[in-house]
PDB file of all heavy atoms in Angstrom:
ATOM      1  N   ALA A 173     104.923 124.672 117.271  1.00 95.00           N
ATOM      2  CA  ALA A 173     104.609 126.148 117.289  1.00 95.00           C
ATOM      3  C   ALA A 173     103.882 126.596 116.028  1.00 95.00           C
ATOM      4  O   ALA A 173     103.286 127.564 116.067  1.00 95.00           O
ATOM      5  CB  ALA A 173     105.909 126.924 117.455  1.00 95.00           C
ATOM      6  N   ALA A 174     104.081 125.827 114.961  1.00 95.00           N
ATOM      7  CA  ALA A 174     103.473 126.212 113.687  1.00 95.00           C
ATOM      8  C   ALA A 174     102.003 125.825 113.611  1.00 95.00           C
ATOM      9  O   ALA A 174     101.270 126.152 112.693  1.00 95.00           O
ATOM     10  CB  ALA A 174     104.187 125.628 112.547  1.00 95.00           C
ATOM     11  N   LEU A 175     101.555 125.040 114.574  1.00 96.00           N
ATOM     12  CA  LEU A 175     100.181 124.493 114.560  1.00 96.00           C
ATOM     13  C   LEU A 175      99.128 125.556 114.795  1.00 96.00           C
ATOM     14  O   LEU A 175      99.382 126.524 115.499  1.00 96.00           O
ATOM     15  CB  LEU A 175     100.020 123.384 115.539  1.00 96.00           C
ATOM     16  CG  LEU A 175     100.921 122.157 115.321  1.00 96.00           C
ATOM     17  CD1 LEU A 175     100.772 121.230 116.566  1.00 96.00           C
ATOM     18  CD2 LEU A 175     100.530 121.430 114.064  1.00 96.00           C
ATOM     19  N   PRO A 176      97.947 125.383 114.213  1.00 94.00           N
ATOM     20  CA  PRO A 176      96.853 126.357 114.397  1.00 94.00           C
ATOM     21  C   PRO A 176      96.371 126.234 115.829  1.00 94.00           C
ATOM     22  O   PRO A 176      96.373 125.210 116.489  1.00 94.00           O
ATOM     23  CB  PRO A 176      95.739 125.951 113.446  1.00 94.00           C
ATOM     24  CG  PRO A 176      96.011 124.519 113.201  1.00 94.00           C
ATOM     25  CD  PRO A 176      97.466 124.251 113.302  1.00 94.00           C
ATOM     26  N   GLN A 177      95.917 127.396 116.439  1.00 94.00           N
ATOM     27  CA  GLN A 177      95.347 127.383 117.754  1.00 94.00           C
ATOM     28  C   GLN A 177      93.898 126.767 117.777  1.00 94.00           C
ATOM     29  O   GLN A 177      93.562 126.141 118.758  1.00 94.00           O
ATOM     30  CB  GLN A 177      95.227 128.800 118.298  1.00 94.00           C
ATOM     31  CG  GLN A 177      96.570 129.442 118.597  1.00 94.00           C
ATOM     32  CD  GLN A 177      97.343 128.721 119.735  1.00 94.00           C
ATOM     33  OE1 GLN A 177      96.784 128.434 120.766  1.00 94.00           O
ATOM     34  NE2 GLN A 177      98.594 128.355 119.436  1.00 94.00           N
ATOM     35  N   ASN A 178      93.246 126.918 116.736  1.00 95.00           N
ATOM     36  CA  ASN A 178      91.820 126.437 116.616  1.00 95.00           C
ATOM     37  C   ASN A 178      91.547 125.872 115.221  1.00 95.00           C
ATOM     38  O   ASN A 178      92.181 126.347 114.274  1.00 95.00           O
ATOM     39  CB  ASN A 178      90.826 127.594 116.837  1.00 95.00           C
ATOM     40  CG  ASN A 178      90.963 128.152 118.277  1.00 95.00           C
ATOM     41  OD1 ASN A 178      90.647 127.530 119.195  1.00 95.00           O
ATOM     42  ND2 ASN A 178      91.491 129.337 118.295  1.00 95.00           N
ATOM     43  N   LEU A 179      90.579 124.962 115.139  1.00 96.00           N
ATOM     44  CA  LEU A 179      90.030 124.469 113.876  1.00 96.00           C
ATOM     45  C   LEU A 179      88.570 124.782 113.914  1.00 96.00           C
ATOM     46  O   LEU A 179      87.891 124.656 114.959  1.00 96.00           O
ATOM     47  CB  LEU A 179      90.199 123.007 113.745  1.00 96.00           C
ATOM     48  CG  LEU A 179      91.528 122.395 113.301  1.00 96.00           C
ATOM     49  CD1 LEU A 179      91.347 120.913 112.931  1.00 96.00           C
ATOM     50  CD2 LEU A 179      92.136 123.098 112.121  1.00 96.00           C
ATOM     51  N   SER A 180      87.971 125.178 112.781  1.00 97.00           N
ATOM     52  CA  SER A 180      86.556 125.382 112.811  1.00 97.00           C
ATOM     53  C   SER A 180      85.747 124.094 113.019  1.00 97.00           C
ATOM     54  O   SER A 180      86.368 122.989 112.775  1.00 97.00           O
ATOM     55  CB  SER A 180      86.061 125.961 111.462  1.00 97.00           C
ATOM     56  OG  SER A 180      86.233 124.969 110.447  1.00 97.00           O
ATOM     57  N   PHE A 181      84.566 124.167 113.381  1.00 97.00           N
ATOM     58  CA  PHE A 181      83.731 122.965 113.626  1.00 97.00           C
ATOM     59  C   PHE A 181      83.676 122.136 112.329  1.00 97.00           C
ATOM     60  O   PHE A 181      83.925 120.920 112.363  1.00 97.00           O
ATOM     61  CB  PHE A 181      82.269 123.327 114.023  1.00 97.00           C
ATOM     62  CG  PHE A 181      81.413 122.155 114.305  1.00 97.00           C
ATOM     63  CD1 PHE A 181      81.578 121.399 115.523  1.00 97.00           C
ATOM     64  CD2 PHE A 181      80.426 121.796 113.414  1.00 97.00           C
ATOM     65  CE1 PHE A 181      80.796 120.319 115.713  1.00 97.00           C
ATOM     66  CE2 PHE A 181      79.633 120.630 113.673  1.00 97.00           C
ATOM     67  CZ  PHE A 181      79.827 119.954 114.776  1.00 97.00           C
ATOM     68  N   LYS A 182      83.469 122.836 111.153  1.00 97.00           N
ATOM     69  CA  LYS A 182      83.383 122.121 109.870  1.00 97.00           C
ATOM     70  C   LYS A 182      84.708 121.377 109.555  1.00 97.00           C
ATOM     71  O   LYS A 182      84.671 120.164 109.195  1.00 97.00           O
ATOM     72  CB  LYS A 182      83.105 123.206 108.787  1.00 97.00           C
ATOM     73  CG  LYS A 182      82.676 122.592 107.480  1.00 97.00           C
ATOM     74  CD  LYS A 182      82.308 123.705 106.515  1.00 97.00           C
ATOM     75  CE  LYS A 182      82.236 123.083 105.110  1.00 97.00           C
ATOM     76  NZ  LYS A 182      82.297 124.091 104.081  1.00 97.00           N
TER      77      LYS A 182
END
Side-chain angles (χ1 to χ4, degrees):
L175 295 173
Q177 291 296 310
N178 296 292
L179 280 191
S180 70
F181 183 73
K182 193 175 165 197

